[in-house]
Amino acid sequence: MNSIKNVPARVLSRRSGHSLEAEREQFDKTQAISISKAINTQEAPVKEKHARRIILGTHHEKGAFTFWSYAIGLPLPSSAILSWKLCHVLHKVLRDGHPNVLHDCQRYRSNIREIGELWGHLHDRYGQLVNIYTKLLLTKISFHLKHPQFPAGLEVTDEVLEKAAGTDVNNIFQLTVEMFDYMDCELKLSESVFRQLNTAIAVSQMSSGQCRLAPLIQVIQDCSHLYHYTVKLMFKLHSCLPADTLQGHRDRFHEQFHSLRNFFRRASDMIYFKRLIQIPRLPEGPPNFLRASALAEHIKPVVVIPEEAPEDEEPENLIEISTGPPAKEPAVATDLFEQTFGPPNGSVKDDRDLQIESLKREVEMLRAELEKMKLEAQRYITQLKGQGNALEAELEEQRKQKQRALVDNEQLRHELAQLRAARLEDERNQGLREEAEKKAIATEARYNRLKEKHSELVNTHAELLRKNADTAKQLTVTQQSQEEVARVKEQLAFQMEQARRDSEMKLEEQSDQLEKLMRELEAKAGELVRVQEALSHTEQSGSELSTQLATLSAEKDTLSSAVRQREADLLAAQDLVREKEAALTQEQQRGSRERDELQGQLVEKESQEQKLQQRLLDEQFAVLRGAAAEAETILRDAVGKLDDPLHLRCTSSPDYLVSRAQAALDSVSMLESGHAQYVASMSDASALVAALTRFSHLAADTIVNGSATSHLAPTDPADRLMDMCRECGAQGLELVGQLQDRQVVPQARPGLMRTALQAILQLGQELKPKSLDVRQEELGAMVDKEMAATSAAIEDAVQRIEDMMNQARQASSGVKLEVNERILKSCTDLMKAIRLLVTTSTKLQKEIVESGRGAATQQEFYAKNSWWTEGLISASKAVGWGATQLVESADRVVLHMGKYEELIVCSHEIAASTAQLVAASKVKADKHSRHLSQLQECSRSVNEMAANVVASTKSGQEQIEDRDTMDFSGLSLIKLKKQEMESQVRVLELEKTLEAERMRLGELRKQHYALAGGMGTPGQEEPARPVAAPRSGASKKPPLAQKPTIAPKQDQQLDRKDGVHPAQLVNY
């Protein structure tokens, strides 16, 4: 009976013969697309979905053969970015791919090393990173091949680590050194990436920066495990060896610890990593290996990768899933057949069939690889032949150039022979010239002898004179030709020497080129021999595979005979099946009648259930529509308030707007979840109704508070905030409108509300006060500290003024002493008035805090009213700084090193600073407060004392300065006119200088206001408060006080009855 059950195995498995080839083709196509999309020349990070498909492909084929078959064909030497992305993908494949990937990558170590060395020799920014990355990958492959207990992902238990280390100290020592080397390669890559980002001033949100930063995610994962393992191994080494022996290990670990901690800190500060990986924090200091109990304090760093958001693109099937046609036989017949003959195993092939098909696939793959290698070898041979032909052509060209040089050399030799012949001719002419000279001498002697016979030989003498003249002419011509020959000789000699040098240089260059070409030809011949050897080896492997295929074919024939025997048994079984089918038909007829009756009852029940289900759906949608209508009313009311004139008087703080916008954003997630549940099951709308109700209230609250916040914000942020509130309202109304239409409900997209709400949240964050150097919980202590510092500065100023007064009494006398005492006395009175004002302001602030904080602490009150607190701090700094400047100016005036105008300007500055302090204290004080009245009196007293300082300074200046008497009685009309013109010129020059100085003052004030506004535009929390910029966090406070940055005031006139006077610009 068992033999009968196994009969249908081959018959029922009716799969197409080319399904495996189609599946392989589809797999290769998918892998090729993923590799081409993941590894390209675009300066952008590798997308996770493409890398994930490549990793799944390695698990599908249990190796990285397909990956490397495409990777080695990429033009890696042409693009450093392409090589960088290949290293990144290879790192991910090593970590998360199939374990056999490690052995496949071992075969391509030379390719990885060549790419790294190629880019290491080039001065390319990505090339240097590729060089470092390839070294890391080679180290990783070597380490995991040497220690197979550690997977490429480096995630093992402590028991496996103990087993891998063993009990031999030498093995533990060596394993620790290898892990240190491994960690050095990881840290070197991270440091190189950060160094390039700092050089390029790149940010982590740019694609170029993300392309460099993406591989550091794998580096962080590797480093966390390596750090934990090195700590364990170091403690184990210290338990076996003396501490002095391991000093080098400790030093190396400490260096790596600080580098790793710095790397984790910098990476955790980048926005790019915050959404992709949760980076652990290392302790402040390295573990103390000298204390064995410190191991219990060690905490293993854990890296967490958040769950990835679903991709917009549906992943392609790595395996072609073919759904077979439905069985033609009835289900009852199939069940009966299974009960009689057992379950069919047609879906499970025989082991030998599977082995045959597997071997066929391997043979086909090896054949394809062999063909590919043959084509590659043929291409290399063609390239080498082409290069050899090119070298032969260049050699022939060099031979032609050599022949031309020899011809030129022969021509030069011929010209040299001609020059030598011309020189011999010149020598002959020289002999003739000498003979002519001798004849001339003889003629002159004859003339002397025949001088007495002059009268008789006149005719003879005349003829001799003519001969002499002709000879002289010939001599002159001979001399000129000799000089010309000498010049030509020199020119020819120079040209010959130059031609000889050029010929020698050409011969040397041609010889060098010829030797270089011969060496290259020998190298190419060696490469050709190696390629031919590889090709012969491949052909030998192919012949072995052919032998194996013949053996398999013989086994296939044997199996075919067994199959024919099985088919004969099948025919006998079919006769028995037909008999059973007759009995089965009768049973089916009886069962069909019973089934018809049951189906009639079932249809009736289903109709009733459908009616009830439809009624439930209608009721649930009615509830949803009512909630959506109410939400629409709430949102329309909120949107309507944006243009309501009565709403203009309503204000809100950015902090409250941020809290409302954040709550609305959180409600969007609940709304999406409720919508998804309702679309999945429309019989329950409770979750969507609750989420919609909460969302409508929070969104309306956000819109109303956004409008209220914009009333106190600057113009541009206010306009943008209003626009985003309108957009948020429009999107909300569109959403609730869709939820009221049953046909459109599934297409509704609540997630679109996030964009507008996030924009409102961002604008609220921008409008929030920006305290750069002080946290909100420290503001209270800062107020007391600044007020105390201001009081100390004023006390010190009073003491210094008294010291100056004593010095002035000793060093001066007469009018100067009188003026100095009057100025210093007025300054002392001013300092006393300021000290009283600061003391009164401190009391008033304490009264405000006690009356307004309620059950909260003083720190919480200051944190809640942060802008008012910073206004007090700024005003206090301004008063202390003004007092310090006044004392320094008075000191310089007394010592005759300063100007009286400095005292006047400082007095005005102190008046403005006290006005700011009074305004800052007044905004939260009770109108009927006794301390407020005293503060206003003190402010008026300060203004009066400042006016006294100005008056005493001006009077002292007039008293000390000498004024020349203007006596023009002795001047003539011409001199008067001349001095009048000079005076007019001087007046014009002073007016021009005054105008330029006024423009400079205006620009300085503009820059002051710009800096004050850049430090943070205040968004008002209270109905009114002093306008003051926050403190600068980058500057340090001087010994006494520092002038704060004060924002420009909006009003030119303040409340004088409160003792507040604005500072005025005085031109001198």
Side-chain angles (χ1 to χ4, degrees), residues 64 145 189 246 357 502 510 577 745 881 1031:
L145 286 175
L189 178 61
L246 300 173
E357 290 178 359
D502 294 342
Q510 291 171 1
V577 168
V745 167
W881 181 85
R1031 290 160 282 102

Side-chain angles (χ1 to χ4, degrees), residues 5 291 308 367 442 662 759 797 856-857 936 945 962 964-965 974 988 1033:
K5 288 184 178 179
R291 184 168 55 89
E308 300 173 359
R367 284 180 179 175
Q662 187 61 50
T857 63
Q936 293 173 352
M945 294 300 104
D962 296 333
D964 297 333
T965 57
I974 299 300
L988 292 175

Side-chain angles (χ1 to χ4, degrees), residues 37 176 452 466 497 521 530 571 638 651 672 775 856 896:
K37 288 183 178 180
T176 308
E452 292 84 5
R466 284 195 298 273
E497 182 66 24
L521 185 60
R530 288 193 296 272
L571 293 176
T651 59
E672 285 181 327
R775 297 195 300 261
H896 306 290

Side-chain angles (χ1 to χ4, degrees), residues 400-451:
K400 291 180 180 179
Q401 291 182 2
K402 182 180 180 181
Q403 190 65 28
R404 286 197 295 271
L406 292 174
V407 173
D408 294 340
N409 195 11
E410 290 295 330
Q411 291 178 356
L412 292 174
R413 288 178 181 177
H414 180 66
E415 292 177 358
L416 181 60
Q418 291 179 354
L419 290 174
R420 288 176 179 175
R423 183 177 180 183
L424 292 175
E425 185 69 22
D426 292 338
E427 290 178 355
R428 285 195 296 271
N429 291 333
Q430 180 69 20
L432 293 175
R433 187 179 63 80
E434 291 177 355
E435 186 178 356
E437 288 179 354
K438 292 178 181 180
K439 288 182 179 181
I441 294 172
T443 303
E444 188 177 359
R446 189 182 302 168
Y447 173 76
N448 291 329
R449 286 194 305 270
L450 296 177
K451 194 173 184 180

Side-chain angles (χ1 to χ4, degrees), residues 508-534:
E508 292 178 359
E509 291 177 357
Q510 291 171 1
S511 300
D512 294 338
Q513 292 179 0
L514 183 59
E515 291 177 359
K516 183 178 180 181
L517 292 174
M518 292 300 293
R519 287 195 300 270
E520 292 181 356
L521 185 60
E522 291 176 358
K524 296 298 182 180
E527 291 181 1
L528 180 60
V529 170
R530 288 193 296 272
V531 172
Q532 289 176 352
E533 291 177 356

Side-chain angles (χ1 to χ4, degrees), residues 253-318:
F253 177 85
H254 291 169
E255 182 180 357
Q256 288 186 354
F257 173 83
H258 294 296
S259 300
L260 181 61
R261 188 171 183 274
N262 187 33
F263 168 41
F264 280 4
R265 179 183 56 79
R266 295 181 65 180
S268 60
D269 292 338
M270 291 187 174
I271 301 176
Y272 175 73
F273 290 109
K274 291 183 178 179
R275 62 184 180 85
L276 297 177
I277 187 172
Q278 183 177 346
I279 303 173
R281 290 185 176 273
L282 296 182
E284 294 294 330
N288 185 8
F289 299 112
L290 302 178
R291 184 168 55 89
S293 60
L295 179 59
E297 302 172 1
H298 170 67
I299 300 175
K300 179 181 179 181
V302 179
V303 177
V304 179
I305 302 295
E307 294 183 1
E308 300 173 359
E311 298 286 345
D312 297 335
E313 184 180 349
E314 289 294 329
E316 300 177 5
N317 293 328
L318 295 178

